[in-house]
Amino acid sequence: MNQAQPNFKHEHITVLLSEAVEHLVLKKDGIYVDCTFGRGGHSKLILEKLNREGRLIAIDRDKSAYEEGLKIKDMRFEIVRAHFSEIDEVLEAKGISKVDGVLLDLGISSPQIDEGDRGFSFRFDAYLDMRMDQSKGVTAAELLKKIEQKELEKILKEYGEEKFARRISTAIIKERDEVGSIETTKQLAKIVADHMPKKEIGQDPSTRTFQALRIYINRELEELKEVLPKILKLLKKDGILVAISFHSLEDRIVKQFINDEKNRDTLPSNFPIRSDELPKPRLNIVTKPIRPSEAEVKRNPRARSGIMRVAERTAH
């Protein structure tokens, strides 16, 4: 395939940068984990807030992000190429059993979108890869070669919240069966656009389809569900969890997890158990959800959908 790629490079602007680090780093000599290094915006500011005894472990499964992290020459900093759901194994290998804070900046980063050959964006004509870790797993193109219509419809509905999931999935499978495969971003985007009965102003018709496939390919929601209980176990008392989400599916999981751990002592009043035997809340909400300011959204429109939740470890 020899499609010319646009000469386009989008500078990565970290969303809710100062707000996240301000809430996260409460101990200058603490041990912190940046589970989603990306291009290091949060990590670099965290390091500025730490003293000589502080320590920061960063995690990212993306090769480009990992290589960017290796450029940071700081004795207090290490980066590991891994899935963030492997946080417990990463820290155990370093002899760390408890940490003072963990940051999750969820979703996809601007460089991943803007590297056209990664196949994340309908703006570039490229192979449908969509893997955050390109060393393993099935690409979106490979998935579309074998998937059945019903399963694809379910993916579009659950991960993309696509109202026209049945119509779009049927069209994709029909095209695949006729031409043999769907292997490029433009090919997929055209199929969706041609069969979208109602288009949203200001949004490409294939946005939700691309989102759904990306989330499914990378197991993003499953990874999030796996990592949250692990973070809870790793946090010291008064340790902080900061989670930044960019769509409702992620935020719903984070919100539900925090609320469940906050309300563990809510049992019926007539339940046969003494008050001192009640399961104690393990998280406390530090602040109401924080969204980017109007000024930040103006500087970086991609920040618009961001929402940050902050919780504190209370009891063990």
Side-chain angles (χ1 to χ4, degrees):
M1 191 183 306
N2 189 29
Q3 288 102 345
Q5 298 297 331
N7 183 17
F8 178 86
K9 184 174 178 61
H10 191 286
E11 179 188 357
H12 179 63
I13 304 173
T14 305
V15 176
L16 291 164
L17 173 58
S18 60
E19 294 90 340
V21 177
E22 176 186 337
H23 282 88
L24 180 73
V25 182
L26 302 183
K27 297 178 181 178
K28 290 185 176 294
D29 61 350
I31 302 173
Y32 294 91
V33 183
D34 181 351
C35 279
T36 44
F37 178 79
R39 288 303 180 268
H42 287 118
S43 280
K44 290 168 186 173
L45 187 55
I46 291 169
L47 288 170
E48 287 183 20
K49 302 293 183 182
L50 297 178
N51 63 20
R52 292 176 63 182
E53 284 71 44
R55 190 172 178 187
L56 174 61
I57 312 299
I59 301 172
D60 209 299
R61 57 173 145 171
D62 185 284
K63 183 172 180 284
S64 297
Y66 172 71
E67 290 173 348
E68 191 69 23
L70 293 177
K71 296 176 184 177
I72 297 179
K73 306 302 180 185
D74 190 316
M75 294 295 291
R76 303 168 299 167
F77 175 81
E78 296 176 77
I79 186 166
V80 179
R81 189 178 180 192
H83 291 229
F84 62 59
S85 62
E86 300 170 312
I87 184 174
D88 50 344
E89 298 169 35
V90 168
L91 295 181
E92 183 181 0
K94 298 183 180 303
I96 300 172
S97 59
K98 294 289 180 181
V99 298
D100 295 285
V102 177
L103 171 68
L104 285 167
D105 184 4
L106 302 165
I108 190 170
S109 69
S110 295
Q112 287 172 323
I113 296 172
D114 295 328
E115 290 170 6
D117 59 359
R118 299 294 297 273
F120 287 114
S121 176
F122 41 76
R123 292 188 293 114
F124 309 109
D125 194 9
Y127 177 69
L128 268 172
D129 192 316
M130 291 197 181
R131 293 171 299 168
M132 290 183 179
D133 180 354
Q134 291 181 296
S135 68
K136 61 182 72 170
V138 174
T139 67
E142 290 167 339
L143 173 72
L144 292 178
K145 281 182 182 177
K146 59 185 180 181
I147 197 167
E148 298 293 330
Q149 184 272 326
K150 284 292 184 185
E151 185 182 359
L152 181 56
E153 179 184 346
K154 183 179 179 183
I155 290 170
L156 300 186
K157 190 176 293 181
E158 290 186 5
Y159 296 123
E161 299 180 297
E162 175 55 73
K163 292 182 291 187
F164 304 108
R166 178 172 297 177
R167 180 190 292 256
I168 292 169
S169 60
T170 300
I172 290 171
I173 298 305
K174 182 174 183 291
E175 176 80 5
R176 181 210 50 202
D177 291 345
E178 288 178 358
V179 303
S181 64
I182 298 168
E183 298 199 347
T184 71
T185 53
K186 289 295 184 184
Q187 189 181 2
L188 177 60
K190 185 177 186 306
I191 296 168
V192 178
D194 287 349
H195 293 84
M196 179 68 75
K198 185 179 179 182
K199 297 176 174 59
E200 296 180 43
I201 297 173
Q203 178 170 291
D204 188 281
S206 59
T207 297
R208 296 183 187 277
T209 295
F210 273 70
Q211 172 188 296
L213 289 173
R214 189 204 81 222
I215 290 174
Y216 179 81
I217 289 290
N218 294 289
R219 298 187 66 253
E220 292 177 41
L221 302 187
E222 290 80 5
E223 288 266 321
L224 179 57
K225 290 174 183 176
E226 287 173 27
V227 78
L228 289 170
K230 293 181 178 182
I231 291 173
L232 184 66
K233 289 181 181 178
L234 289 165
L235 285 175
K236 297 177 183 177
K237 187 176 185 301
D238 300 326
I240 299 293
L241 165 64
V242 174
I244 304 171
S245 308
F246 289 90
H247 60 70
S248 60
L249 298 174
E250 295 167 336
D251 183 56
R252 198 176 301 145
I253 292 169
V254 174
K255 178 182 178 182
Q256 187 65 56
F257 179 79
I258 292 174
N259 284 339
D260 286 349
E261 293 300 333
K262 174 180 175 288
N263 299 318
R264 295 179 80 240
D265 62 350
T266 54
L267 289 172
S269 58
N270 61 348
F271 199 81
I273 188 171
R274 296 199 314 267
S275 60
D276 62 350
E277 295 176 324
L278 285 168
K280 301 300 181 187
R282 297 189 293 193
L283 285 176
N284 181 49
I285 296 172
V286 173
T287 180
K288 64 182 182 180
I290 297 172
R291 293 186 179 275
S293 65
E294 288 184 19
E296 179 172 3
V297 172
K298 189 173 181 179
R299 290 194 309 271
N300 178 21
R302 288 177 177 176
R304 185 178 293 107
S305 58
I307 180 170
M308 185 176 87
R309 296 185 184 272
V310 184
E312 177 187 47
R313 186 70 154 103
T314 53
H316 288 276

